Amino acid sequence: MDAFLTQFDYLVRYVLTAFAVFILLRCVFSLFRLRPRREVMATLTNLADDSEIEIENWETSIGRSRSCDIALRKYNTVSRFHAVLALRKEGWFIFDTESKTGVYVNGEQIRRSQQIADGDTIAFGNAVMKFHSNGYGVDSENTEGGEVTDFTNAARLVNLADNSAFYLRTSCLIGRGRHCNICLPMRGIEDEHAEIYMSRDGWMVADLHTQSGTYLNGELVFGAYALYDGDIISVGEYSFMFRE
């Protein structure tokens, strides 16, 4: 009888240990296998290089600081804590967190916050992004005629030094003066150096009678020249690619 109890105790001890290890492994396996995936709630497309930033949170901080959810460290016109992208009951909103250069939606500066829709272009300083929701919060923005507003092919100048983009509307003045749309405070660049503008024939670039000149694809600009997608405009030490 004693021998039987000894064997039974030995058997139960190892069987229960093995059973406990089995249950533990099942729990660990289930934990990793059934771990919930983080949904991509929206995306921001950088219009300078078409790279995409995935939005996975209800609130996303944007700025040059490393502590931001989206750190735009290479853009010197972006404040350390520039903006917050947030999903509310009414839809997606962009908040300007007292940035120095402001937040622009479709070329218009916002006061403090503004609701955004699919296809909206958002500029944080000279970092220009296109917003897309993935079925969370908003529908595509429609015009009065019912057509979807699309800013994907918005005309822009891309700074080849840092891939920052400047959103173009009807005209863009380039020079050293602070009133210029693109201010380049460097020697060799005049107060009003060049102008990009829309004409009947499309976008044009004109040199404003400068001494150092404006170059288009390496050739000196005399008067006004037509612009085509991929053209390189050089002003002093700066070079911009025209995209549309």
Side-chain angles (χ1 to χ4, degrees), residues 197-218:
Y197 63 93
M198 173 64 78
S199 71
R200 293 181 179 178
D201 300 322
W203 287 98
M204 309 286 290
V205 57
D207 179 74
L208 301 180
H209 309 289
T210 61
Q211 293 184 355
S212 58
T214 301
Y215 291 82
L216 177 63
N217 299 325

PDB file of all heavy atoms in Angstrom, residues 197-218:
ATOM      1  N   TYR A 197       3.720  81.958 -61.483  1.00  0.00           N
ATOM      2  CA  TYR A 197       2.330  82.409 -61.578  1.00  0.00           C
ATOM      3  C   TYR A 197       1.580  81.590 -62.612  1.00  0.00           C
ATOM      4  O   TYR A 197       2.166  80.950 -63.492  1.00  0.00           O
ATOM      5  CB  TYR A 197       2.267  83.902 -61.931  1.00  0.00           C
ATOM      6  CG  TYR A 197       2.857  84.263 -63.272  1.00  0.00           C
ATOM      7  CD1 TYR A 197       2.059  84.322 -64.413  1.00  0.00           C
ATOM      8  CD2 TYR A 197       4.216  84.545 -63.405  1.00  0.00           C
ATOM      9  CE1 TYR A 197       2.595  84.655 -65.646  1.00  0.00           C
ATOM     10  CE2 TYR A 197       4.759  84.874 -64.629  1.00  0.00           C
ATOM     11  CZ  TYR A 197       3.947  84.932 -65.749  1.00  0.00           C
ATOM     12  OH  TYR A 197       4.489  85.239 -66.973  1.00  0.00           O
ATOM     13  N   MET A 198       0.250  81.636 -62.507  1.00  0.00           N
ATOM     14  CA  MET A 198      -0.625  80.923 -63.424  1.00  0.00           C
ATOM     15  C   MET A 198      -1.054  81.856 -64.555  1.00  0.00           C
ATOM     16  O   MET A 198      -1.474  82.979 -64.312  1.00  0.00           O
ATOM     17  CB  MET A 198      -1.844  80.385 -62.678  1.00  0.00           C
ATOM     18  CG  MET A 198      -2.910  79.752 -63.576  1.00  0.00           C
ATOM     19  SD  MET A 198      -2.317  78.277 -64.452  1.00  0.00           S
ATOM     20  CE  MET A 198      -2.405  77.059 -63.143  1.00  0.00           C
ATOM     21  N   SER A 199      -0.931  81.379 -65.791  1.00  0.00           N
ATOM     22  CA  SER A 199      -1.376  82.128 -66.960  1.00  0.00           C
ATOM     23  C   SER A 199      -2.358  81.276 -67.761  1.00  0.00           C
ATOM     24  O   SER A 199      -2.692  80.156 -67.363  1.00  0.00           O
ATOM     25  CB  SER A 199      -0.173  82.506 -67.838  1.00  0.00           C
ATOM     26  OG  SER A 199       0.355  81.339 -68.474  1.00  0.00           O
ATOM     27  N   ARG A 200      -2.811  81.785 -68.869  1.00  0.00           N
ATOM     28  CA  ARG A 200      -3.726  81.028 -69.721  1.00  0.00           C
ATOM     29  C   ARG A 200      -3.074  79.744 -70.232  1.00  0.00           C
ATOM     30  O   ARG A 200      -3.746  78.753 -70.487  1.00  0.00           O
ATOM     31  CB  ARG A 200      -4.165  81.877 -70.909  1.00  0.00           C
ATOM     32  CG  ARG A 200      -5.044  83.070 -70.533  1.00  0.00           C
ATOM     33  CD  ARG A 200      -5.455  83.825 -71.783  1.00  0.00           C
ATOM     34  NE  ARG A 200      -6.321  84.962 -71.458  1.00  0.00           N
ATOM     35  CZ  ARG A 200      -6.785  85.806 -72.375  1.00  0.00           C
ATOM     36  NH1 ARG A 200      -6.473  85.634 -73.666  1.00  0.00           N
ATOM     37  NH2 ARG A 200      -7.577  86.807 -72.016  1.00  0.00           N
ATOM     38  N   ASP A 201      -1.762  79.790 -70.389  1.00  0.00           N
ATOM     39  CA  ASP A 201      -1.028  78.641 -70.929  1.00  0.00           C
ATOM     40  C   ASP A 201      -0.534  77.695 -69.845  1.00  0.00           C
ATOM     41  O   ASP A 201       0.147  76.710 -70.139  1.00  0.00           O
ATOM     42  CB  ASP A 201       0.157  79.128 -71.763  1.00  0.00           C
ATOM     43  CG  ASP A 201      -0.287  79.992 -72.929  1.00  0.00           C
ATOM     44  OD1 ASP A 201      -1.333  79.679 -73.521  1.00  0.00           O
ATOM     45  OD2 ASP A 201       0.419  80.977 -73.233  1.00  0.00           O
ATOM     46  N   GLY A 202      -0.851  77.996 -68.572  1.00  0.00           N
ATOM     47  CA  GLY A 202      -0.398  77.151 -67.477  1.00  0.00           C
ATOM     48  C   GLY A 202       0.548  77.898 -66.565  1.00  0.00           C
ATOM     49  O   GLY A 202       0.644  79.139 -66.604  1.00  0.00           O
ATOM     50  N   TRP A 203       1.266  77.169 -65.745  1.00  0.00           N
ATOM     51  CA  TRP A 203       2.195  77.778 -64.794  1.00  0.00           C
ATOM     52  C   TRP A 203       3.434  78.294 -65.517  1.00  0.00           C
ATOM     53  O   TRP A 203       3.955  77.648 -66.425  1.00  0.00           O
ATOM     54  CB  TRP A 203       2.597  76.769 -63.728  1.00  0.00           C
ATOM     55  CG  TRP A 203       1.505  76.492 -62.739  1.00  0.00           C
ATOM     56  CD1 TRP A 203       0.630  75.447 -62.747  1.00  0.00           C
ATOM     57  CD2 TRP A 203       1.170  77.283 -61.603  1.00  0.00           C
ATOM     58  NE1 TRP A 203      -0.248  75.538 -61.697  1.00  0.00           N
ATOM     59  CE2 TRP A 203       0.054  76.654 -60.975  1.00  0.00           C
ATOM     60  CE3 TRP A 203       1.675  78.463 -61.048  1.00  0.00           C
ATOM     61  CZ2 TRP A 203      -0.527  77.165 -59.823  1.00  0.00           C
ATOM     62  CZ3 TRP A 203       1.087  78.975 -59.901  1.00  0.00           C
ATOM     63  CH2 TRP A 203       0.002  78.327 -59.306  1.00  0.00           C
ATOM     64  N   MET A 204       3.906  79.475 -65.059  1.00  0.00           N
ATOM     65  CA  MET A 204       5.064  80.131 -65.674  1.00  0.00           C
ATOM     66  C   MET A 204       6.056  80.516 -64.583  1.00  0.00           C
ATOM     67  O   MET A 204       5.693  80.710 -63.413  1.00  0.00           O
ATOM     68  CB  MET A 204       4.624  81.393 -66.427  1.00  0.00           C
ATOM     69  CG  MET A 204       3.479  81.204 -67.405  1.00  0.00           C
ATOM     70  SD  MET A 204       3.968  80.338 -68.913  1.00  0.00           S
ATOM     71  CE  MET A 204       4.997  81.582 -69.709  1.00  0.00           C
ATOM     72  N   VAL A 205       7.332  80.654 -64.983  1.00  0.00           N
ATOM     73  CA  VAL A 205       8.353  81.187 -64.094  1.00  0.00           C
ATOM     74  C   VAL A 205       8.974  82.395 -64.778  1.00  0.00           C
ATOM     75  O   VAL A 205       9.247  82.368 -65.992  1.00  0.00           O
ATOM     76  CB  VAL A 205       9.433  80.137 -63.751  1.00  0.00           C
ATOM     77  CG1 VAL A 205      10.106  79.582 -64.989  1.00  0.00           C
ATOM     78  CG2 VAL A 205      10.469  80.727 -62.793  1.00  0.00           C
ATOM     79  N   ALA A 206       9.180  83.454 -64.027  1.00  0.00           N
ATOM     80  CA  ALA A 206       9.737  84.687 -64.584  1.00  0.00           C
ATOM     81  C   ALA A 206      10.833  85.200 -63.672  1.00  0.00           C
ATOM     82  O   ALA A 206      10.685  85.196 -62.438  1.00  0.00           O
ATOM     83  CB  ALA A 206       8.650  85.740 -64.751  1.00  0.00           C
ATOM     84  N   ASP A 207      11.936  85.624 -64.255  1.00  0.00           N
ATOM     85  CA  ASP A 207      13.001  86.287 -63.507  1.00  0.00           C
ATOM     86  C   ASP A 207      12.665  87.775 -63.433  1.00  0.00           C
ATOM     87  O   ASP A 207      12.278  88.387 -64.432  1.00  0.00           O
ATOM     88  CB  ASP A 207      14.345  86.087 -64.196  1.00  0.00           C
ATOM     89  CG  ASP A 207      15.467  86.791 -63.467  1.00  0.00           C
ATOM     90  OD1 ASP A 207      15.878  86.291 -62.403  1.00  0.00           O
ATOM     91  OD2 ASP A 207      15.916  87.857 -63.952  1.00  0.00           O
ATOM     92  N   LEU A 208      12.802  88.360 -62.257  1.00  0.00           N
ATOM     93  CA  LEU A 208      12.403  89.750 -62.041  1.00  0.00           C
ATOM     94  C   LEU A 208      13.601  90.681 -62.194  1.00  0.00           C
ATOM     95  O   LEU A 208      13.917  91.484 -61.313  1.00  0.00           O
ATOM     96  CB  LEU A 208      11.751  89.889 -60.660  1.00  0.00           C
ATOM     97  CG  LEU A 208      10.509  89.006 -60.435  1.00  0.00           C
ATOM     98  CD1 LEU A 208       9.942  89.212 -59.046  1.00  0.00           C
ATOM     99  CD2 LEU A 208       9.453  89.267 -61.497  1.00  0.00           C
ATOM    100  N   HIS A 209      14.287  90.552 -63.339  1.00  0.00           N
ATOM    101  CA  HIS A 209      15.399  91.425 -63.728  1.00  0.00           C
ATOM    102  C   HIS A 209      16.508  91.439 -62.671  1.00  0.00           C
ATOM    103  O   HIS A 209      16.945  92.502 -62.214  1.00  0.00           O
ATOM    104  CB  HIS A 209      14.891  92.851 -63.986  1.00  0.00           C
ATOM    105  CG  HIS A 209      13.720  92.913 -64.925  1.00  0.00           C
ATOM    106  ND1 HIS A 209      13.843  92.652 -66.280  1.00  0.00           N
ATOM    107  CD2 HIS A 209      12.404  93.183 -64.695  1.00  0.00           C
ATOM    108  CE1 HIS A 209      12.655  92.777 -66.851  1.00  0.00           C
ATOM    109  NE2 HIS A 209      11.766  93.081 -65.921  1.00  0.00           N
ATOM    110  N   THR A 210      16.948  90.268 -62.277  1.00  0.00           N
ATOM    111  CA  THR A 210      17.975  90.147 -61.252  1.00  0.00           C
ATOM    112  C   THR A 210      19.362  90.075 -61.873  1.00  0.00           C
ATOM    113  O   THR A 210      19.525  89.777 -63.063  1.00  0.00           O
ATOM    114  CB  THR A 210      17.748  88.884 -60.404  1.00  0.00           C
ATOM    115  OG1 THR A 210      17.831  87.729 -61.257  1.00  0.00           O
ATOM    116  CG2 THR A 210      16.380  88.925 -59.745  1.00  0.00           C
ATOM    117  N   GLN A 211      20.379  90.355 -61.055  1.00  0.00           N
ATOM    118  CA  GLN A 211      21.765  90.297 -61.532  1.00  0.00           C
ATOM    119  C   GLN A 211      22.274  88.863 -61.619  1.00  0.00           C
ATOM    120  O   GLN A 211      22.939  88.486 -62.587  1.00  0.00           O
ATOM    121  CB  GLN A 211      22.665  91.120 -60.602  1.00  0.00           C
ATOM    122  CG  GLN A 211      22.392  92.618 -60.642  1.00  0.00           C
ATOM    123  CD  GLN A 211      23.359  93.392 -59.784  1.00  0.00           C
ATOM    124  OE1 GLN A 211      24.189  92.813 -59.075  1.00  0.00           O
ATOM    125  NE2 GLN A 211      23.266  94.724 -59.830  1.00  0.00           N
ATOM    126  N   SER A 212      21.958  88.041 -60.603  1.00  0.00           N
ATOM    127  CA  SER A 212      22.457  86.661 -60.605  1.00  0.00           C
ATOM    128  C   SER A 212      21.604  85.733 -61.444  1.00  0.00           C
ATOM    129  O   SER A 212      22.020  84.638 -61.802  1.00  0.00           O
ATOM    130  CB  SER A 212      22.544  86.138 -59.167  1.00  0.00           C
ATOM    131  OG  SER A 212      21.275  86.196 -58.551  1.00  0.00           O
ATOM    132  N   GLY A 213      20.353  86.150 -61.734  1.00  0.00           N
ATOM    133  CA  GLY A 213      19.511  85.381 -62.638  1.00  0.00           C
ATOM    134  C   GLY A 213      18.738  84.251 -61.971  1.00  0.00           C
ATOM    135  O   GLY A 213      18.989  83.849 -60.836  1.00  0.00           O
ATOM    136  N   THR A 214      17.771  83.747 -62.717  1.00  0.00           N
ATOM    137  CA  THR A 214      16.969  82.580 -62.336  1.00  0.00           C
ATOM    138  C   THR A 214      17.181  81.519 -63.402  1.00  0.00           C
ATOM    139  O   THR A 214      17.180  81.836 -64.601  1.00  0.00           O
ATOM    140  CB  THR A 214      15.475  82.943 -62.241  1.00  0.00           C
ATOM    141  OG1 THR A 214      15.302  83.983 -61.265  1.00  0.00           O
ATOM    142  CG2 THR A 214      14.643  81.743 -61.837  1.00  0.00           C
ATOM    143  N   TYR A 215      17.351  80.260 -62.982  1.00  0.00           N
ATOM    144  CA  TYR A 215      17.673  79.185 -63.921  1.00  0.00           C
ATOM    145  C   TYR A 215      16.552  78.151 -63.945  1.00  0.00           C
ATOM    146  O   TYR A 215      15.988  77.799 -62.902  1.00  0.00           O
ATOM    147  CB  TYR A 215      18.993  78.521 -63.543  1.00  0.00           C
ATOM    148  CG  TYR A 215      20.193  79.422 -63.756  1.00  0.00           C
ATOM    149  CD1 TYR A 215      20.542  80.375 -62.810  1.00  0.00           C
ATOM    150  CD2 TYR A 215      20.961  79.319 -64.919  1.00  0.00           C
ATOM    151  CE1 TYR A 215      21.628  81.215 -63.002  1.00  0.00           C
ATOM    152  CE2 TYR A 215      22.055  80.152 -65.121  1.00  0.00           C
ATOM    153  CZ  TYR A 215      22.378  81.097 -64.163  1.00  0.00           C
ATOM    154  OH  TYR A 215      23.460  81.934 -64.369  1.00  0.00           O
ATOM    155  N   LEU A 216      16.242  77.684 -65.143  1.00  0.00           N
ATOM    156  CA  LEU A 216      15.252  76.630 -65.340  1.00  0.00           C
ATOM    157  C   LEU A 216      15.936  75.466 -66.033  1.00  0.00           C
ATOM    158  O   LEU A 216      16.392  75.604 -67.182  1.00  0.00           O
ATOM    159  CB  LEU A 216      14.076  77.133 -66.183  1.00  0.00           C
ATOM    160  CG  LEU A 216      12.998  76.114 -66.528  1.00  0.00           C
ATOM    161  CD1 LEU A 216      12.324  75.601 -65.251  1.00  0.00           C
ATOM    162  CD2 LEU A 216      11.966  76.703 -67.475  1.00  0.00           C
ATOM    163  N   ASN A 217      16.073  74.350 -65.313  1.00  0.00           N
ATOM    164  CA  ASN A 217      16.778  73.164 -65.830  1.00  0.00           C
ATOM    165  C   ASN A 217      18.186  73.511 -66.306  1.00  0.00           C
ATOM    166  O   ASN A 217      18.666  73.026 -67.331  1.00  0.00           O
ATOM    167  CB  ASN A 217      15.978  72.528 -66.969  1.00  0.00           C
ATOM    168  CG  ASN A 217      14.612  72.059 -66.528  1.00  0.00           C
ATOM    169  OD1 ASN A 217      14.429  71.597 -65.401  1.00  0.00           O
ATOM    170  ND2 ASN A 217      13.623  72.185 -67.410  1.00  0.00           N
ATOM    171  N   GLY A 218      18.843  74.404 -65.542  1.00  0.00           N
ATOM    172  CA  GLY A 218      20.229  74.776 -65.841  1.00  0.00           C
ATOM    173  C   GLY A 218      20.387  75.889 -66.859  1.00  0.00           C
ATOM    174  O   GLY A 218      21.513  76.335 -67.096  1.00  0.00           O
TER     175      GLY A 218
END
